[in-house]
Amino acid sequence: MLKKSTAAFLMIAALLCGSLLTLSVTGYMQISGQAAGQGAISSALNGSSGLDQKESKKLGTALGLIESNYYETVDRNKLIDGAVNGMMEALGDPYSNYMGKETAQKFEESIEGSFSGIGAEVSSENGKVVVVSPIKGSPAEKAGIQAKDVILSVNGESLEGLELNAAVAKIRGPKGSKATLKVQRAGSAEPLEFAITRDDVKLETVYAKLEKDNVGVIEVTQFSMNTAERFKEELDKLEKQGMKGLVIDVRNDPGGVLPVVIQMAEQFVPSGKTIVQVEDKNKKRELSKSKGSSKAYPVVVLMNKGSASASEILAGALQQSAGAKLIGDNSFGKGTVQTSFDKQLGDGSLLKITIAKWLTPDGTWIHGKGIKPDIAVAQPDYFSVAPINKSATLQYNMNSADVKSAQIMLDGLGYKPGRKDGYFDAATKEAVKKFQSTAKLTVTGIIDAKTAETLEAALIKAIQNPANDNQRNKGIEEIQKEIKSASSNK
């Protein structure tokens, strides 16, 4: 089985939906069947002649005045990079970025490269560093980082006011190093703190399993260069094993390469039906039509707020053009297409520019809104519980957000504290004692750092147990119903 690695915290500016729908112009034209110079994408890529004489004079004058008058020696290359970066920031688009030579190199390698970090995709929204999704099995996921978390600081250094390249530079680091993140999460009055040990993030993008009643489940964690091929391999295996229905899981999948998701969708969308529409600045649209065929068995797609970009293209295509049901939570809502320009700049740096918007087969632009599931299914509350602050000891008669987190964890693990409102009462104390006894800890009824760590470790195991996954179980249940219905109608 071919293994892939990805950049952990992808160590580059806005790889969220940067490789997410970053595409090779040639690659996309081959998929869409358009020749260069035709259609919405090629129209979007027609550049202007650059600066006119007046604009060139203004920038040159500014550079000269800085070099002549600034009280310290200036790095001319930094000034030029800053000017280009300023233009990109002025667009107000979190997915359009300038990358210097070093960052650009990491970006180009990220689809198939090997990196170390915390393992999360990020973007910049209104000057804030926002998590799109933690990567499956990464340090970020294990620590409890969630989609939509806003990263406020790293190791005590605020990210406020930093452009994304600089912010990500503070987050990334070598394997084994520590990153303490302060995070603002919707629903939490106070910022949360996560202590994360950076590591190599190995990313196998496709996981498949045949469940009871011949229901296949394929999880796709990212749309990398080999994902379509890997998906087809696993799908073929399941079909040969007698699969009668399929659950495709793109939860917390932040996206990937556009031609790859089109190849995957073609395995389910009937020939001639639309997979995705791409619209340029002149409102010209290209429709990617399927050259594949539909499946005889039922399909559902699992998604959540961490399903972004290419994941949403797949969900929209299968829902509207292949009759698949969408199950879970509302998706992220990223409806634009980027491409990167490196050869034009000539010095190894790179511009990643939003060149178009994409729309679902029926013409809906989901940007900022996401896609609503056909069947909304929430996960248990302990799936999204905030971690406990290990520097404080929790005990009887206290009232705090940390106590509330502990109560949610205890309840999720079956220890029934009787309440989840943050007040540490006698019943909560007894629940803590029972947990400590089971975990072979000193039985005190007090939550110290050791008890908190053990509680969180037990909770992670519970979350990773498929039996507790409401959305996955609902997807399998729906497929079982459709298989049974099809059987009875024969």
Side-chain angles (χ1 to χ4, degrees):
M1 182 177 291
L2 183 62
K3 294 286 185 181
K4 291 287 180 181
S5 299
T6 190
F9 213 46
L10 290 167
M11 303 200 312
I12 60 172
L15 188 57
L16 145 78
C17 313
S19 83
L20 295 186
L21 277 185
T22 297
L23 53 99
S24 142
V25 176
T26 303
Y28 186 81
M29 293 305 175
Q30 290 172 342
I31 289 294
S32 66
Q34 293 285 347
Q38 296 180 338
I41 293 294
S42 52
S43 173
L45 295 175
N46 290 329
S48 68
S49 58
L51 298 173
D52 61 27
Q53 187 174 4
K54 185 177 179 180
E55 292 166 337
S56 181
K57 181 180 178 182
K58 180 177 180 179
L59 289 178
T61 300
L63 178 61
L65 288 170
I66 293 169
E67 288 187 312
S68 300
N69 296 287
Y70 190 66
Y71 80 106
E72 290 183 343
T73 302
V74 296
D75 184 328
R76 187 182 179 92
N77 289 330
K78 283 187 177 179
L79 293 179
I80 299 297
D81 283 354
V84 179
N85 193 58
M87 283 190 277
M88 301 306 293
E89 288 187 347
L91 294 173
D93 175 15
Y95 309 119
S96 294
N97 306 98
Y98 170 70
M99 303 177 200
K101 183 176 180 179
E102 183 180 346
T103 305
Q105 185 177 2
K106 289 184 173 67
F107 175 79
E108 297 290 3
E109 293 171 352
S110 64
I111 295 295
E112 299 182 63
S114 177
F115 299 89
S116 295
I118 71 168
E121 303 270 2
V122 295
S123 70
S124 176
E125 296 181 16
N126 300 317
K128 298 178 179 178
V129 178
V130 181
V131 175
V132 178
S133 176
I135 294 169
K136 181 180 174 66
S138 68
E141 184 193 51
K142 291 174 182 176
I145 295 292
Q146 297 178 17
K148 303 289 187 180
D149 281 349
V150 178
I151 303 175
L152 304 175
S153 67
V154 182
N155 293 335
E157 295 186 56
S158 173
L159 302 187
E160 184 177 358
L162 296 181
E163 56 92 18
L164 195 56
N165 283 352
V168 171
K170 291 185 180 298
I171 298 165
R172 72 189 188 194
K175 177 180 179 179
S177 61
K178 303 286 185 181
T180 300
L181 273 57
K182 188 165 284 187
V183 165
Q184 187 64 60
R185 178 174 296 168
S188 295
E190 299 295 327
L192 309 174
E193 192 170 284
F194 297 85
I196 304 174
T197 301
R198 300 178 179 101
D199 200 355
D200 293 332
V201 180
K202 299 297 181 183
L203 184 64
E204 166 59 62
T205 61
V206 180
Y207 300 82
K209 187 176 182 181
L210 191 65
E211 297 286 356
K212 184 181 177 183
D213 298 328
N214 289 321
V215 177
V217 179
I218 299 182
E219 180 181 3
V220 182
T221 60
Q222 184 168 306
F223 294 88
S224 296
M225 295 303 293
N226 73 322
T227 301
E229 179 185 346
R230 285 284 301 113
F231 185 89
K232 189 175 187 308
E233 288 173 2
E234 296 300 330
L235 184 63
D236 288 346
K237 287 179 187 176
L238 291 174
E239 289 177 342
K240 287 175 183 176
Q241 292 175 50
M243 181 181 70
K244 296 180 179 178
L246 177 64
V247 176
I248 301 175
D249 186 352
V250 292
R251 292 174 297 169
N252 292 326
D253 181 334
V257 184
L258 182 56
V260 170
V261 70
I262 291 174
Q263 290 173 44
M264 288 174 62
E266 281 188 313
Q267 297 179 60
F268 303 94
V269 175
S271 180
K273 284 203 169 186
T274 301
I275 292 172
V276 65
Q277 302 186 47
V278 178
E279 180 179 288
D280 72 4
K281 65 193 299 181
N282 299 314
K283 308 300 180 185
K284 292 181 181 177
R285 292 189 186 180
E286 286 182 7
L287 275 63
S288 289
K289 300 277 190 178
S290 175
K291 298 184 178 103
S293 60
S294 60
K295 297 292 186 181
Y297 47 77
V299 177
V300 303
V301 179
L302 304 184
M303 62 184 196
N304 63 8
K305 63 183 178 181
S307 303
S309 197
S311 295
E312 295 171 294
I313 289 179
L314 184 68
L318 267 58
Q319 180 195 49
Q320 295 179 12
S321 295
K325 286 182 181 176
L326 307 184
I327 295 175
D329 300 315
N330 204 78
S331 65
F332 184 86
K334 193 267 181 182
T336 54
V337 181
Q338 285 71 42
T339 194
S340 56
F341 299 86
D342 55 353
K343 301 292 188 282
Q344 294 88 338
L345 299 181
D347 63 352
S349 59
L350 176 151
L351 286 179
K352 178 169 64 66
I353 300 176
T354 297
I355 59 168
K357 61 172 68 171
W358 69 263
L359 304 97
T360 59
D362 69 2
T364 300
W365 193 36
I366 59 90
H367 198 67
K369 299 175 291 186
I371 300 176
K372 290 183 178 179
D374 296 304
I375 303 174
V377 180
Q379 295 288 52
D381 56 0
Y382 61 83
F383 270 58
S384 56
V385 65
I388 300 168
N389 181 2
K390 313 301 185 302
S391 64
T393 298
L394 310 179
Q395 54 191 318
Y396 178 71
N397 209 30
M398 289 181 67
N399 196 338
S400 70
D402 284 316
V403 173
K404 181 177 180 179
S405 291
Q407 289 170 332
I408 292 172
M409 293 180 192
L410 288 164
D411 185 73
L413 293 170
Y415 291 94
K416 306 302 177 188
R419 64 195 304 159
K420 293 184 279 186
D421 60 0
Y423 177 63
F424 202 128
D425 64 355
T428 300
K429 184 175 181 178
E430 285 306 308
V432 173
K433 285 183 175 181
K434 288 178 183 177
F435 172 75
Q436 290 172 327
S437 177
T438 303
K440 295 182 170 50
L441 300 171
T442 302
V443 178
T444 62
I446 295 171
I447 302 176
D448 56 8
K450 180 64 175 175
T451 298
E453 289 170 2
T454 308
L455 188 58
E456 289 177 359
L459 192 75
I460 288 171
K461 288 184 179 179
I463 291 171
Q464 292 173 340
N465 185 347
N468 299 323
D469 189 336
N470 290 348
Q471 293 168 343
R472 186 178 189 273
N473 293 338
K474 183 62 176 177
I476 293 173
E477 179 188 319
E478 282 299 310
I479 291 296
Q480 288 170 333
K481 284 182 184 177
E482 293 196 35
I483 292 171
K484 187 174 180 180
S485 175
S487 227
S488 63
N489 289 333
K490 286 183 180 178

